[in-house]
Amino acid sequence: MTGHGHRTAAHRPVVDGAAGRETVAEGAVRERTAHEGTARQVEVHQALVTPATARHCAGLLDAAEHHRAARLPAPAAARFTVARGLLRAVLARRLALPPPRVPLVAHCPGCGAQGHGPVRLAGGVGGATGWTLSIAHSGILVAVAVGHRAGAVGVDVETAERAEDIEALAPRLLGPGHRERLARLPVQARRAALLRVWTGAESYAKATGTGLGRALARVRTAVDAEGRVCVTAPDEPAGWAVRTVPAHAPGYAAAVTVRHGTRVRTHLSGRLCTGSAAG
């Protein structure tokens, strides 16, 4: 391994115009592309919503988030607190800031109001540029996706309690051949497969800004003879990939949509996952 301030002969551009040789401009493009490639990574962090995690995460929020949590019913307040606390904990390590000082802002694209809607890092803060964020929570599980120089990202999680409702939508989610394969699966396997389909569409909708109804119509889903589900976006060649990721709660499903070629790493935040589930 060479030092950051040195380039080996294999990486040094050659300027002579001969065929097969690399110009300075070509070398700069290649090196920039290589650097961007190594930087294109999204991390998905998950945590369980428990009384202990909610108490811990409450100490990570800012004043506005405390005010918002106080107006929510207890189960929703716990999920909101753990989700925002987990996001702040992840970003605080990256930005070298105390968690309450991580400059998060939210803006609703629907009503235009501040304080709710998609969350992002405020601009103009040292080290805060180039980050993209997504939050999801359902039941006792929350997930946050954090990307740096990776483009837009969307994450979704869903509880098994929704599987029966989602099953009624199966004709809209799958083509005829795949619906027949799905119908032959045992009930639990069928519902688990449908949860993967749903979370894939939800994450795609978040990443692309597409409405959920349109996302459900556009996301391709295939079910093989063993019941394995493959979820992809129809415009993957244009730059999107929908990926299922392990959900760190029994019966749950999780998915993330990222720019094609982006590496995805998943983490369970063990420090935040103690005690019995809340609500």
Side-chain angles (χ1 to χ4, degrees):
M1 182 171 64
T2 60
H4 293 297
H6 300 83
R7 278 190 296 197
T8 64
H11 294 90
R12 187 177 297 116
V14 178
V15 189
D16 64 0
R21 296 298 182 95
E22 186 180 52
T23 67
V24 170
E26 290 168 342
V29 169
R30 181 182 55 74
E31 290 190 2
R32 182 171 68 250
T33 301
H35 172 72
E36 290 172 351
T38 59
R40 289 184 61 179
Q41 177 173 292
V42 165
E43 294 188 358
V44 178
H45 295 257
Q46 299 177 48
L48 300 180
V49 180
T50 72
T53 59
R55 286 193 300 271
H56 174 78
C57 288
L60 309 180
L61 306 188
D62 67 8
E65 290 165 334
H66 279 294
H67 183 64
R68 180 176 172 187
R71 301 196 308 269
L72 296 172
R79 284 190 291 270
F80 172 81
T81 298
V82 174
R84 287 294 183 91
L86 176 60
L87 180 61
R88 286 182 173 279
V90 171
L91 289 170
R93 292 194 293 269
R94 306 299 188 276
L95 302 175
L97 289 172
R101 292 183 57 192
V102 172
L104 295 179
V105 294
H107 176 261
C108 179
C111 69
Q114 302 290 331
H116 66 278
V119 180
R120 62 178 177 82
L121 278 167
V125 178
T129 58
W131 294 90
T132 46
L133 320 171
S134 184
I135 298 176
H137 48 74
S138 180
I140 63 167
L141 185 66
V142 303
V144 302
V146 175
H148 188 235
R149 298 179 183 175
V153 59
V155 69
D156 190 59
V157 296
E158 192 59 76
T159 171
E161 294 174 1
R162 288 288 315 283
E164 187 174 354
D165 297 332
I166 294 171
E167 190 170 15
L169 299 173
R172 292 180 55 194
L173 304 178
L174 299 165
H178 298 299
R179 287 202 301 268
E180 293 168 5
R181 287 194 184 118
L182 197 71
R184 291 195 291 267
L185 295 176
V187 172
Q188 290 301 108
R190 181 169 68 248
R191 290 180 175 175
L194 284 168
L195 282 178
R196 291 195 290 273
V197 175
W198 185 267
T199 54
E202 283 264 24
S203 71
Y204 175 78
K206 290 181 180 182
T208 62
T210 302
L212 178 58
R214 187 180 178 194
L216 287 169
R218 294 182 56 152
V219 169
R220 284 198 310 262
T221 304
V223 181
D224 67 16
E226 286 73 40
R228 290 187 293 265
V229 175
C230 176
V231 182
T232 59
D235 52 354
E236 184 171 358
W240 294 106
V242 181
R243 304 181 188 177
T244 57
V245 295
H248 295 294
Y252 282 64
V256 61
T257 294
V258 295
R259 285 293 184 183
H260 187 62
T262 301
R263 181 182 179 188
V264 175
R265 298 182 63 185
T266 61
H267 306 267
L268 177 65
S269 296
R271 182 184 174 191
L272 302 181
C273 297
T274 57
S276 302

